[in-house]
Amino acid sequence: MKKALIIPITICVLIVLAFATTSAYRVPTLELKFPGSRPAVVKAVEFTVNGVKCRGTSNYFAQKIAGVPGVVAVTTYARTNTATVEYDPSLTDPATLRAAYERPDTLEGKVYQIFTTRAQRDLP
Amino acid sequence: MRALRTVVQLVFVAGTVGLLTRGLLGLTQNTCDSYCPFGGLVALFPLFKYKAYTCRLTELNTALLVSLGVLTVATKKSFCSWVCPFGSVSEWLGRLGRKVLRRDVKVPPRADRILMNLRYVVLVAVVVLTWTVWQFDLGFRAYDPFYILFSWGGHGTFPWSFAILAGVLVLVFVVPFAWCRYLCPLGAVMDPLSRLGVLRVRRKAAACESCGGCDAVCPHRIPVASVAEVTARNCTNCLECIVSCSKRNALDLSLMGK
């Protein structure tokens, strides 16, 4: 009976290790640098976005903010539903970025809002 | 031992159902495939080629695949009988089927041996199709009973996917463990590592009466009564053989032969 406990204990330890490892080392789902020279001053903001949940939605998120002047790069993480955007503060700001990706889409006469913001924080 | 395993199974099934419920209520964007180690396998090629994960796969799938490998080397295919929510559902359905049908449907041994190789065909087909035809999209989700059931027809499934799910559920009701034995590609992935399994069922010949009771209850038809140690790749360490053994200490778990 005691030896049987090895199985659930091993399972628990390995699951905890898997989650701990992935919390420490995040791998981006999408990493995109937009064309153009990098400005002297760059700020970064992290959005937690409902809708950023896979490679496809990450691409669409990047597409939505690509048209905003001053966007330098975007990195998304599907597991945590987060997107980090680097931008030129003299040309744009987080509110403009949010407005760009939260803009609703119309398909066959119906209006869809694909992305909504859950949280936002400035990165150092 | 059986109660311990049932508790662990219930925890994982409840966790998966809880995840589905949270998803249906809009409280999470993650689905059961976000936590499936098989995703780690199909993510390998695009990860090496493009340095990126595809579709919904993330580093968690890779970490869980590595964990599964370690678990299998340590405790054989205990994932199947202790963790896998679909394995648990099919085990319970199989038990119910045995009670309702009042007979134990067993595929003839020769056909059973041939059918067991189907898992490898399914594994190769899923991986190759994902890396080619489906262009790294998780196209197999439409055919995957685990995903169809625990995402309740989530993204990537079709109305006919439920027909596949129903077919598999009927199959495991009539032929217990048919999905796990003949079709599960993740089981095929674990096979080579399972042979190395450190924690094994050991039979003490001196105490054993060779009554064959353990052979009869083994869901994977392993001839426990005729081996000194169970090294079979199919052993899931469900411990049914030990639980059912009438002779005290005839069967036990051995760790590195001790």
Side-chain angles (χ1 to χ4, degrees):
Chain A
M1 177 63 190
K2 274 182 192 167
K3 280 184 186 165
L5 283 171
I6 293 171
I7 298 173
I9 290 170
T10 313
I11 290 166
C12 289
V13 168
L14 288 170
I15 288 177
V16 168
L17 275 176
F19 276 88
T21 313
T22 48
S23 296
Y25 302 101
R26 285 198 305 179
V27 179
T29 305
L30 177 75
E31 242 180 333
L32 198 62
K33 284 187 170 55
F34 292 101
S37 56
R38 194 173 168 87
V41 180
V42 172
K43 276 191 165 186
V45 60
E46 185 184 81
F47 299 106
T48 306
V49 187
N50 281 336
V52 173
K53 55 188 178 183
C54 62
R55 179 93 178 166
T57 49
S58 294
N59 277 325
Y60 193 50
F61 179 89
Q63 198 182 316
K64 284 202 131 191
I65 60 165
V68 179
V71 178
V72 176
V74 60
T75 308
T76 65
Y77 302 90
R79 189 170 61 82
T80 49
N81 311 129
T82 50
T84 303
V85 183
E86 290 179 11
Y87 62 95
D88 180 347
S90 66
L91 292 173
T92 190
D93 56 71
T96 311
L97 294 168
R98 273 177 75 154
Y101 71 73
E102 286 185 338
R103 191 180 59 242
D105 296 89
T106 309
L107 186 70
E108 294 173 352
K110 285 185 179 173
V111 179
Y112 297 91
Q113 182 159 14
I114 296 172
F115 301 115
T116 51
T117 310
R118 277 211 311 264
Q120 174 190 328
R121 71 182 177 109
D122 292 324
L123 297 177
Chain B
M1 280 193 241
R2 190 181 279 157
L4 175 68
R5 188 166 73 87
T6 306
V7 168
V8 176
Q9 283 179 303
L10 283 170
V11 166
F12 282 99
V13 171
T16 317
V17 173
L19 179 71
L20 166 64
T21 312
R22 288 182 65 208
L24 293 175
L25 294 172
L27 299 173
T28 180
Q29 300 260 300
N30 292 333
T31 50
C32 58
D33 54 347
S34 312
Y35 303 95
C36 181
F38 191 70
L41 182 77
V42 292
L44 282 179
F45 181 60
L47 194 58
F48 282 118
K49 192 171 180 186
Y50 303 113
K51 307 279 181 289
Y53 282 95
T54 56
C55 214
R56 293 188 80 114
L57 302 176
T58 66
E59 62 276 16
L60 183 60
N61 297 92
T62 306
L64 288 171
L65 179 70
V66 174
S67 292
L68 177 71
V70 176
L71 179 70
T72 311
V73 170
T75 66
K76 297 181 75 69
K77 286 162 82 171
S78 60
F79 174 86
C80 306
S81 61
W82 291 71
V83 180
C84 178
F86 196 77
S88 301
V89 168
S90 50
E91 181 184 336
W92 298 332
L93 264 179
R95 253 187 241 165
L96 182 70
R98 231 174 274 154
K99 279 185 184 159
V100 172
L101 302 171
R102 292 184 182 180
R103 66 193 183 109
D104 203 359
V105 178
K106 279 196 173 172
V107 177
R110 194 176 144 76
D112 183 66
R113 275 197 300 276
I114 294 168
L115 285 171
M116 273 173 63
N117 293 317
L118 257 182
R119 291 178 306 167
Y120 301 107
V121 177
V122 174
L123 172 66
V124 171
V126 168
V127 172
V128 170
L129 283 171
T130 306
W131 291 352
T132 55
V133 176
W134 291 324
Q135 298 283 306
F136 308 126
D137 186 28
L138 304 180
F140 64 90
R141 286 186 297 198
Y143 310 88
D144 177 0
F146 163 72
Y147 178 76
I148 302 163
L149 179 63
F150 289 111
S151 72
W152 201 243
H155 177 74
T157 62
F158 301 93
W160 50 259
S161 300
F162 280 99
I164 291 176
L165 172 66
V168 171
L169 293 180
V170 169
L171 180 69
V172 297
F173 182 79
V174 177
V175 185
F177 294 99
W179 168 262
C180 309
R181 282 177 70 75
Y182 308 136
L183 295 164
C184 178
L186 190 56
V189 174
M190 285 184 270
D191 274 352
L193 296 175
S194 179
R195 280 203 186 279
L196 306 171
V198 173
L199 190 74
R200 300 166 177 181
V201 173
R202 184 176 52 173
R203 188 178 67 96
K204 288 177 193 150
C208 177
E209 284 179 335
S210 299
C211 66
C214 45
D215 293 2
V217 294
C218 178
H220 295 284
R221 297 186 180 189
I222 298 165
V224 183
S226 52
V227 293
E229 251 190 355
V230 176
T231 54
R233 62 189 169 153
N234 283 333
C235 177
T236 62
N237 267 337
C238 66
L239 313 182
E240 285 297 319
C241 50
I242 299 177
V243 172
S244 69
C245 184
S246 56
K247 290 294 284 180
R248 197 174 161 81
N249 296 328
L251 289 176
D252 197 7
L253 276 173
S254 99
L255 190 64
M256 307 280 280
K258 289 176 187 166

